[in-house]
Amino acid sequence: MANWVTGKVIEAKFWTDSLFSLVINAPIKPFTAGQYAKLALEIDGERIQRAYSYVNAPSDNRLEFYFVIVPNGKLSPKLAQLQSGDELQITDEATGFFVLDEIPECKNLWMLSTGTAIGPFLSILQEGIGLERFEKMVLLHAVRYEKDLSYLPLMKKLEQRYQGKLQIVTVVSREQCEGSLYGRVPALIESQALENAVGIPLTPETCHVMLCGNPEMVKDTRETLKNTRGMVKHLRRKPGHISSEQYW
């Protein structure tokens, strides 16, 4: 059974009409970068809960979560109404295996995300522990519109922090934007446009791919990597080249 504790909102940030972040303070147990917790509100006498990944580093006690408002959703529209000082419920213990300890040895790490699924990668990169074993890292954030690149300033700061070891790629699927690739992630892999932009060959001999996002993107990208690069899903009992986490 989950142990619920009370968290207090210390900051609410609206990026667009449908994207927002909450920063909260809560007495949680230590977690590993890449993991998620469950957040909940009491609505009409019922606890409505959903899982959300930490955006902040585990060493940062300002707990940050990134949300999209789901039209007619039970929880996200209510979370969007919270302001500084409001309370919500959070599980004190995080869970999930989308963490660096589960990634096998490789030369280059690719972190591919869509929408709010950028969160786990920002947590991993802000914490910075366990990354020394990779020669190069690629962080990709795919969104529909340029305005949805909420955390681009942070991504650029992280790129500077890692001094050439980390490359940032943004992908926009519904409008042409200077500085971003255009289209869907699977198509950019199949055409080699992503590799050409980064300058790192996407091969099973040298790379591991972490996928985090909507189920369609995860499924299609995994299939593309399998069919065009010979990459297979990573399992503890059978090491592979692709680790994934779906976001609903």
Side-chain angles (χ1 to χ4, degrees), residues 92-144:
D92 69 344
E93 197 164 356
T95 189
F97 298 99
F98 199 67
V99 297
L100 288 181
D101 284 349
E102 298 291 328
I103 304 303
E105 288 304 314
C106 64
K107 181 179 178 182
N108 304 316
L109 180 66
W110 295 69
M111 297 172 278
L112 311 183
S113 67
T114 57
T116 56
I118 186 73
F121 296 134
L122 295 177
S123 180
I124 288 169
L125 289 167
Q126 288 186 95
E127 185 71 354
I129 295 175
L131 297 173
E132 59 282 342
R133 63 186 171 111
F134 306 113
E135 187 173 305
K136 293 284 187 179
M137 301 180 294
V138 178
L139 174 63
L140 179 148
H141 191 200
V143 297
R144 293 179 178 181

Side-chain angles (χ1 to χ4, degrees), residues 1 69 81-83 89-90 96 101 109 125 145-146 162-163 172 175 184 189 203 209 224-225 227 235:
M1 290 287 292
I69 298 176
Q81 295 173 12
L82 296 179
Q83 299 177 356
Q89 298 296 300
I90 179 173
D101 284 349
L109 180 66
L125 289 167
Y145 302 100
E146 186 177 24
Y162 286 100
Q163 301 179 333
V172 179
E175 61 183 1
R184 294 188 67 241
I189 292 173
T203 65
V209 179
T224 300
L225 289 169
N227 295 334
L235 302 169

Side-chain angles (χ1 to χ4, degrees), residues 5-13 20-32 35-39 52-67 88-94 119 123 126-127 151:
V5 296
T6 299
K8 182 171 286 190
V9 176
I10 55 178
E11 186 178 1
K13 299 183 280 190
F20 69 101
S21 298
L22 293 177
V23 180
I24 70 173
N25 193 321
I28 64 164
K29 296 177 181 178
F31 70 94
T32 302
Q35 290 189 310
Y36 60 87
K38 289 183 179 178
L39 302 181
Y52 297 102
S53 295
Y54 287 98
V55 174
N56 60 290
S59 55
D60 186 352
N61 61 10
R62 287 170 54 92
L63 312 178
E64 186 163 354
F65 299 90
Y66 186 32
F67 310 87
L88 72 168
Q89 298 296 300
I90 179 173
T91 50
D92 69 344
E93 197 164 356
S123 180
Q126 288 186 95
E127 185 71 354
Y151 284 94

Side-chain angles (χ1 to χ4, degrees), residues 83-237:
Q83 299 177 356
S84 180
D86 289 339
E87 294 182 345
L88 72 168
Q89 298 296 300
I90 179 173
T91 50
D92 69 344
E93 197 164 356
T95 189
F97 298 99
F98 199 67
V99 297
L100 288 181
D101 284 349
E102 298 291 328
I103 304 303
E105 288 304 314
C106 64
K107 181 179 178 182
N108 304 316
L109 180 66
W110 295 69
M111 297 172 278
L112 311 183
S113 67
T114 57
T116 56
I118 186 73
F121 296 134
L122 295 177
S123 180
I124 288 169
L125 289 167
Q126 288 186 95
E127 185 71 354
I129 295 175
L131 297 173
E132 59 282 342
R133 63 186 171 111
F134 306 113
E135 187 173 305
K136 293 284 187 179
M137 301 180 294
V138 178
L139 174 63
L140 179 148
H141 191 200
V143 297
R144 293 179 178 181
Y145 302 100
E146 186 177 24
K147 66 180 181 180
D148 299 332
L149 293 168
S150 309
Y151 284 94
L152 185 56
L154 174 57
M155 293 165 65
K156 289 183 175 178
K157 284 183 181 178
L158 288 167
E159 190 174 38
Q160 293 175 349
R161 169 180 162 182
Y162 286 100
Q163 301 179 333
K165 181 172 180 172
L166 172 67
Q167 287 186 252
I168 297 298
V169 180
T170 55
V171 177
V172 179
S173 63
R174 297 197 178 178
E175 61 183 1
Q176 296 275 0
C177 302
E178 185 177 352
S180 295
L181 297 177
Y182 173 74
R184 294 188 67 241
V185 173
L188 293 170
I189 292 173
E190 189 165 7
S191 68
Q192 298 188 347
L194 177 55
E195 288 165 280
N196 292 337
V198 174
I200 300 173
L202 189 51
T203 65
E205 292 80 20
T206 59
C207 299
H208 191 92
V209 179
M210 296 179 76
L211 293 173
C212 194
N214 71 71
E216 184 180 359
M217 171 271 203
V218 170
K219 175 179 174 290
D220 292 348
T221 302
R222 199 162 49 206
E223 283 298 306
T224 300
L225 289 169
K226 177 183 176 182
N227 295 334
T228 67
R229 303 297 193 278
M231 291 183 163
V232 297
K233 185 177 180 179
H234 173 67
L235 302 169
R236 278 181 171 178
R237 64 182 182 275

